[in-house]
Amino acid sequence: MSGNKFKARKIARLLTVALILLPVSLATYKQNVATATGPTFISVTSESGSNDNQDEELVKTLPGFQNATKTVNGIKLHYVEGGKGEPLFLLPGWPETWYEYRKIMPELAKHYHVYSIDIRGMGSSDKPTTGYDKKTMASDIYALMNELGYKNIYIAGHDIGSTVAYAFAANYPQATKKLAMLDISHPDNNMLKLPLVAPSGSYNESNPARVKFPWWWAFNAVPNLPEQLLHGKNLDIAYNWAYDYLSYDKPALTPQEKAIYLDAYAKPDALRAANDWFRTFRQDIDDFNTYKKLSMPVLGIYGSTGISDLGPFLKENTRNPKVVELKKTGHWIAEEQPEEVIKQFKEFFR
């Protein structure tokens, strides 16, 4: 791809991100004019690799929430916090950011102090070259918990965030009051049995109930190759395909929301870090084999057309879990079924 084409693609994506932020920025501008504090300009991800400006605009869509960072385990973790009550940590998944919980955060904040956290390698958090096994990433969350002054927390995760949340509970059971997992289990020996060839009908787009085949788990784990192939328009094509494929019968995300996520993964270090979450699966399996069965209360929520083996996994590896299947729901649970997730979380974490 030529330099001019890459720049054009980047500009187009930033303009799309700006569309969703425009109403917020206009409202802020009017308020600033009234108070003589000066206008706030629309900003998106800088070339330095930080999403800070975009986060500042996005958090304005969530009254009562604010951006914050803490340096723990030698890296900066970014999170968005709001609310009062017991701490509830929300860990997002691939390929999204803290923003995936935007639809459930305001209601949950009425009952809990909510923290939606960009895990290691995600969004505005640091992207070191090591430490992407889920045990290390769980230690990031444990260090953040301590830095915030808590001895124990409620914790929930989706996708990669779900694997980190499980590792947190396994390694720090005394710090885990309750655990909720959305659609994805922790890597275990069953992952080694996944077929090379997709089941029949996996790519039948006319059937919303089709079985989803997670071929990208292997692709993302290949050293260096994904980063060479997925940039500019190619990244847009691949990730947009995943957003739609993992939905139920219609896209779960708007073009503007997709653009926000795409911008967060567009830079080389961000894409490399995201792929490193998958490159550590072999180590994650080895670590999992040393864990004891979880004894704290556990909730599992999965979509009927997601990519989950969450039910059998939790029944085998936790004691008396509550497992909920959401009908006509894909992988993006908090965005496809926010009201149901709020209901389940409020009942479970009370």
Side-chain angles (χ1 to χ4, degrees):
M1 178 180 294
S2 69
N4 288 337
K5 288 184 178 179
F6 179 82
K7 290 179 181 178
R9 191 67 186 177
K10 177 68 174 177
I11 291 171
R13 180 159 53 242
L14 298 188
L15 288 173
T16 305
V17 173
L19 287 176
I20 196 173
L21 300 180
L22 182 58
V24 177
S25 294
L26 289 176
T28 303
Y29 175 80
K30 292 177 181 178
Q31 180 180 6
N32 287 335
V33 169
T35 58
T37 58
T40 297
F41 297 97
I42 299 173
S43 300
V44 290
T45 308
S46 69
E47 290 302 317
S48 66
S50 172
N51 291 354
D52 292 348
N53 292 332
Q54 177 172 300
D55 289 330
E56 286 297 330
E57 295 300 328
L58 291 176
V59 80
K60 292 172 185 176
T61 67
L62 299 172
F65 284 85
Q66 63 182 357
N67 285 293
T69 62
K70 292 287 186 183
T71 298
V72 296
N73 283 358
I75 64 169
K76 180 191 74 174
L77 288 185
H78 166 259
Y79 55 91
V80 174
E81 67 167 312
K84 295 181 179 180
E86 294 295 315
L88 171 57
F89 282 25
L90 304 175
L91 310 185
W94 175 92
E96 300 187 287
T97 66
W98 70 267
Y99 191 62
E100 78 159 271
Y101 293 112
R102 66 197 175 280
K103 294 182 179 180
I104 69 173
M105 290 165 65
E107 182 62 29
L108 292 177
K110 297 177 182 178
H111 307 274
Y112 312 99
H113 194 143
V114 175
Y115 297 85
S116 188
I117 303 164
D118 282 335
I119 55 180
R120 176 185 292 244
M122 175 183 285
S124 293
S125 290
D126 281 348
K127 301 165 183 63
T129 57
T130 60
Y132 293 93
D133 63 279
K134 307 314 168 290
K135 186 174 183 179
T136 297
M137 295 177 71
S139 73
D140 295 340
I141 305 304
Y142 183 71
L144 177 62
M145 179 196 76
N146 287 326
E147 185 69 19
L148 291 170
Y150 299 119
K151 293 184 178 180
N152 49 49
I153 58 173
Y154 297 128
I155 188 168
H158 170 244
D159 192 83
I160 293 295
S162 181
T163 69
V164 178
Y166 185 92
F168 179 92
N171 286 280
Y172 309 103
Q174 77 286 353
T176 311
K177 297 180 69 174
K178 292 184 179 181
L179 163 69
M181 303 176 71
L182 303 182
D183 210 49
I184 296 295
S185 61
H186 190 285
D188 65 357
N189 292 329
N190 289 320
M191 184 173 283
L192 303 176
K193 304 173 185 177
L194 289 173
L196 178 63
V197 178
S200 178
S202 295
Y203 303 117
N204 178 8
E205 295 183 2
S206 65
N207 178 18
R210 64 188 180 276
V211 175
K212 307 299 193 299
F213 184 66
W215 57 267
W216 55 92
W217 289 2
F219 173 74
N220 289 350
V222 178
N224 302 318
L225 182 63
E227 290 88 325
Q228 296 180 56
L229 295 177
L230 299 182
H231 56 82
K233 182 177 180 180
N234 290 342
L235 179 71
D236 291 5
I237 292 172
Y239 277 30
N240 273 306
W241 180 92
Y243 294 136
D244 292 349
Y245 178 68
L246 290 172
S247 301
Y248 179 63
D249 60 345
K250 58 183 179 180
L253 305 174
T254 67
Q256 293 84 3
E257 290 163 346
K258 293 175 184 176
I260 289 170
Y261 294 138
L262 285 165
D263 198 56
Y265 287 83
K267 294 177 179 62
D269 65 333
L271 183 58
R272 183 266 308 156
N275 292 333
D276 283 344
W277 298 330
F278 297 86
R279 291 174 180 139
T280 57
F281 276 178
R282 177 69 259 190
Q283 180 62 51
D284 296 333
I285 294 171
D286 292 341
D287 288 335
F288 175 82
N289 289 331
T290 70
Y291 296 156
K292 297 180 179 179
K293 180 177 289 192
L294 300 187
S295 58
M296 75 285 295
V298 177
L299 168 68
I301 305 176
Y302 67 96
S304 59
T305 65
I307 51 175
S308 179
D309 63 345
L310 194 54
F313 173 87
L314 290 180
K315 291 175 182 178
E316 181 177 353
N317 296 293
T318 70
R319 303 183 189 279
N320 301 316
K322 178 181 179 182
V323 179
V324 177
E325 177 185 3
L326 300 183
K327 300 295 185 181
K328 296 184 178 181
T329 305
H331 177 64
W332 316 110
I333 293 175
E335 289 158 306
E336 293 184 64
Q337 296 279 8
E339 294 302 323
E340 185 62 30
V341 174
I342 290 169
K343 174 178 177 290
Q344 293 294 334
F345 276 15
K346 287 169 64 175
E347 291 178 357
F348 177 68
F349 288 122
R350 64 185 177 187

